Amino acid sequence: MEEFDLLSTVEQGGCSSKIPAALLESLLPALPKLVDENILVDFSSHDDAGVYRISDDFALILTTDFFPPVCSDPFEFGQISAANSISDVYAMGGEPFLALNISMFPSSRIPIDVYKSILEGAASKALEANVAIIGGHTIDDFPPKFGLAVVGRVDPKRLVTNSGLRPGDKLILTKPLGTGITVAAKRLKMVTDESYRIAIQWMKTLNDRACSVMKKYHVTGATDITGFGLLGHLLRMARSSRVNISIQAGTLPVLPGVTSLVNDGCIPGAAFRNLEYVENDVTFTRVDYDLKMIMVDAQTSGGLLMGVQDEFANQTLQELTDAGLCYSRIIGEVGEGNGKIFVS
Amino acid sequence: MAKLVDCRGMVCPQPLVETRREIKKSNPGEAITVVVDNSTSLKNILRFLEDNGVECVVKQEAESSSITFNVPLQMTQPDKRAEEYCDVSPKPDVNSGFIVLLNSATMGKGNDELGKILMKGFLSTLLELKATPTEIICYNSAVTLALKSSDTAATLQQISERGIKITLCGTCVDFYNLRDDLAVGQISNMLYIAQRLSSGVRIIQP
């Protein structure tokens, strides 16, 4: 197969392509909706996925996500996209088991083998996660887009949500920030091969290990970091958990090369959009400009952000590191409050 | 005369990159004019300059906008801290940690009574390890360890509650006809087991 660079088809990719959070929030509340006491989580709490109770100890988690290419290689795009879609189930403490492919592919403009590779990449990642892909839907469209709709299961008593942060929790982030910046830099040929490869590896990494550790320590509040950037997702959690959050910017894990890319002006548009979304509720005290922009960089297939009871925080961190998630860091803590964030 | 940075035809974040490059090349006080032809780039460059305390003058024209400013004395410098370097664990596509593979209800060859005692001890010790496995896979007579009536069921239950997956070979469960008497574990097939064993993750076999 001739090498086809998927990044040549898009100006922005991955979760960078999300509609601005504020715009979305203005639309959703007005929709008519069915009331059913078995709906445990829907979009009103801005969570990672919807949750429906089937019985006292069994609930389904439903989620979907798709986006245009975030990397050059089609197989890797399939892998990253699948890891990203499945991640929402892990973020809720669940176990993914079924999925459907959602694809848009311009069959007359790009060799069909490229599509085959995307599907193969997604299938391999799904296998790794023990997820069966049992169907899908394809539309002819340019640029290509791909993702999964995923179903997971969870014991409702052990559900982990955006609104589950408790004052006193330490916040742990399990993957390094800066995937949006790195992908933008790849398109502009500003990034070294090595830094790009590392970013790709992290985007391909499932959040399954982070989820198993999280469940061991009875975490009640977590999310995965994607298109709204670290601060966007933190703000949503702070609001729905009715707490304040403080972040120590110096502790944040960042992909290699990203700080200097930002300093060279490689700041994707999505970061500015995310900054606008959060800035009224975030107070920055002596935070380096570059680091501030990294904190709003839209992530693709980012890590889990979990609130761990103080006494288990170091142990949790150690286990995450032992599991190979070597960028895991305690980045801040949760306090009493009502939806504000303080970064210093 | 201001230095001109023509960013027409460029999309984000390239205009900002070109602007930043020109600032770094210039001396404080020098004037720079950046021309862009889309509103997003204009907005983002203005926001960037504002956040860095740089005042500017904007001129809107029919097809493009120009932003003129003087290079400030000081601008944010790259953070000089050595960048941390940490690659994903050696085999990034597999569960790190390890899988425990049990192929028998007893541990080691020799006296079966002793083998049973050893297996029971092994399972309870697993919980005390600093690095616990991600999964335990049982086949052949090892599936009987998950029987309600076995003295290992409680330990396996505890292990499972810690988030460690317990996988039982379906063929083996059916061969011994145990399907209705299992206390714990998820029944799986040979394809899954073969995939897990060949995935490159470390396998521990007591």
Side-chain angles (χ1 to χ4, degrees):
Chain A
M1 182 175 90
E2 217 178 304
E3 288 231 354
F4 183 89
D5 182 357
L6 273 180
L7 276 185
S8 66
T9 64
V10 278
E11 284 176 6
Q12 55 178 12
C15 301
S16 288
S17 325
K18 270 194 183 182
I19 279 191
L23 191 60
L24 208 55
E25 283 167 17
S26 69
L27 299 178
L28 298 178
L31 298 176
K33 69 184 188 186
L34 190 75
V35 176
D36 180 338
E37 59 175 15
N38 288 317
I39 298 173
L40 302 181
V41 178
D42 65 10
F43 49 67
S44 60
S45 64
H46 309 299
D47 228 308
D48 304 297
V51 182
Y52 190 87
R53 179 172 51 212
I54 303 291
S55 69
D56 281 349
D57 56 3
F58 185 92
L60 288 177
I61 301 178
L62 285 91
T63 176
T64 184
D65 208 335
F66 63 96
F67 48 62
V70 285
C71 60
S72 301
D73 182 75
F75 188 84
E76 287 185 328
F77 174 50
Q79 288 180 303
I80 292 170
S81 189
N84 180 76
S85 302
I86 296 171
S87 175
D88 286 325
V89 174
Y90 293 129
M92 307 213 62
E95 187 188 352
F97 68 107
L98 294 175
L100 303 172
N101 287 326
I102 298 177
S103 353
M104 277 152 243
F105 192 83
S107 57
S108 54
R109 289 175 66 169
I110 301 180
I112 199 72
D113 277 353
V114 172
Y115 184 39
K116 184 167 170 256
S117 291
I118 295 174
L119 291 174
E120 284 169 349
S124 78
K125 192 49 72 175
L127 263 184
E128 186 192 331
N130 211 12
V131 167
I133 298 179
I134 56 174
H137 188 67
T138 310
I139 290 285
D140 214 293
D141 190 33
F142 182 89
K145 291 152 206 93
F146 185 80
L148 302 179
V150 185
V151 179
R153 57 189 151 215
V154 70
D155 179 342
K157 295 183 285 297
R158 305 215 50 194
L159 189 62
V160 180
T161 62
N162 258 346
S163 52
L165 289 181
R166 302 151 296 197
D169 279 354
K170 295 277 190 223
L171 291 169
I172 297 182
L173 177 63
T174 67
K175 283 190 194 177
L177 300 169
T179 63
I181 291 160
T182 306
V183 171
K186 165 75 175 170
R187 208 172 287 126
L188 299 176
K189 303 189 169 42
M190 292 169 71
V191 67
T192 63
D193 268 353
E194 195 188 18
S195 296
Y196 174 69
R197 290 309 315 163
I198 294 172
I200 292 282
Q201 289 300 351
W202 280 103
M203 289 192 276
K204 277 166 35 173
T205 302
L206 287 171
N207 279 328
D208 56 346
R209 294 176 250 171
C211 178
S212 333
V213 175
M214 170 170 98
K215 284 199 286 194
K216 255 191 204 179
Y217 290 97
H218 301 284
V219 166
T220 55
T223 191
D224 60 342
I225 305 302
T226 55
F228 302 130
L230 175 68
L231 289 180
H233 289 280
L234 278 174
L235 181 59
R236 293 175 146 221
M237 290 191 86
R239 283 178 182 163
S240 40
S241 303
R242 298 171 195 284
V243 294
N244 283 355
I245 289 175
S246 57
I247 297 294
Q248 281 79 51
T251 62
L252 293 173
V254 178
L255 283 166
V258 163
T259 313
S260 61
L261 285 171
V262 173
N263 199 265
D264 287 337
C266 185
I267 309 170
F272 286 99
R273 266 204 320 267
N274 287 337
L275 183 61
E276 259 177 54
Y277 170 63
V278 301
E279 63 189 342
N280 290 334
D281 296 298
V282 182
T283 310
F284 296 97
T285 313
R286 284 190 299 278
V287 179
D288 179 70
Y289 177 78
D290 297 337
L291 205 46
K292 176 170 133 185
M293 296 316 285
I294 291 171
M295 295 174 78
V296 288
D297 181 39
Q299 303 298 289
T300 297
S301 190
L304 293 190
L305 181 91
M306 57 181 95
V308 184
Q309 279 172 282
D310 192 9
E311 65 253 48
F312 299 129
N314 287 325
Q315 215 177 327
T316 308
L317 185 66
Q318 185 62 49
E319 281 202 38
L320 288 165
T321 311
D322 289 346
L325 302 169
C326 48
Y327 270 110
S328 299
R329 299 281 183 278
I330 297 175
I331 63 163
E333 60 202 7
V334 181
E336 306 273 350
N338 203 2
K340 300 286 176 197
I341 298 179
F342 299 87
V343 187
S344 55
Chain B
M1 190 61 197
K3 290 194 201 171
L4 186 71
V5 184
D6 187 352
C7 298
R8 283 175 296 180
M10 295 179 191
V11 294
C12 274
Q14 205 177 353
L16 190 54
V17 170
E18 301 299 332
T19 306
R20 193 71 178 105
R21 187 172 292 155
E22 198 57 44
I23 292 174
K24 285 188 175 179
K25 278 199 305 203
S26 307
N27 297 314
E30 277 187 87
I32 295 177
T33 297
V34 182
V35 184
V36 294
D37 61 3
N38 67 81
S39 59
T40 311
S41 297
L42 174 67
K43 204 170 131 192
N44 294 352
I45 290 175
L46 290 178
R47 182 68 212 255
F48 171 81
L49 293 173
E50 183 197 327
D51 275 356
N52 283 284
V54 182
E55 285 179 21
C56 60
V57 178
V58 184
K59 249 200 300 193
Q60 305 258 14
E61 276 152 50
E63 302 284 307
S64 64
S65 304
S66 68
I67 310 158
T68 303
F69 59 92
N70 291 318
V71 174
L73 273 175
Q74 241 193 335
M75 225 156 144
T76 40
Q77 291 300 309
D79 200 334
K80 288 288 186 283
R81 280 175 306 176
E83 223 148 29
E84 293 171 78
Y85 179 89
C86 148
D87 205 343
V88 198
S89 49
K91 289 204 161 67
D93 267 352
V94 297
N95 253 325
S96 106
F98 57 96
I99 291 175
V100 171
L101 183 64
L102 302 179
N103 59 14
S104 149
T106 59
M107 185 168 169
K109 286 197 176 78
N111 185 296
D112 272 359
E113 278 310 305
L114 174 62
K116 273 185 192 162
I117 295 169
L118 292 179
M119 180 57 83
K120 192 172 177 231
F122 174 76
L123 290 175
S124 39
T125 311
L126 271 185
L127 282 168
E128 286 157 31
L129 292 181
K130 190 166 152 243
T132 49
T134 53
E135 182 171 1
I136 298 178
I137 298 179
C138 304
Y139 63 87
N140 215 317
S141 63
V143 296
T144 61
L145 296 168
L147 273 181
K148 281 180 198 147
S149 55
S150 79
D151 58 356
T152 42
T155 312
L156 282 176
Q157 193 92 49
Q158 254 178 304
I159 291 175
S160 152
E161 277 162 15
R162 290 271 295 269
I164 299 164
K165 188 169 179 185
I166 303 200
T167 301
L168 306 174
C169 150
T171 314
C172 315
V173 168
D174 290 339
F175 181 85
Y176 292 110
N177 196 16
L178 309 176
R179 215 168 254 265
D180 297 328
D181 306 310
L182 294 170
V184 62
Q186 210 171 321
I187 292 178
S188 202
N189 57 26
M190 194 52 84
L191 174 66
Y192 172 79
I193 294 175
Q195 270 161 2
R196 293 301 282 156
L197 297 186
S198 59
S199 64
V201 66
R202 274 185 305 145
I203 311 281
I204 308 288
Q205 214 172 341

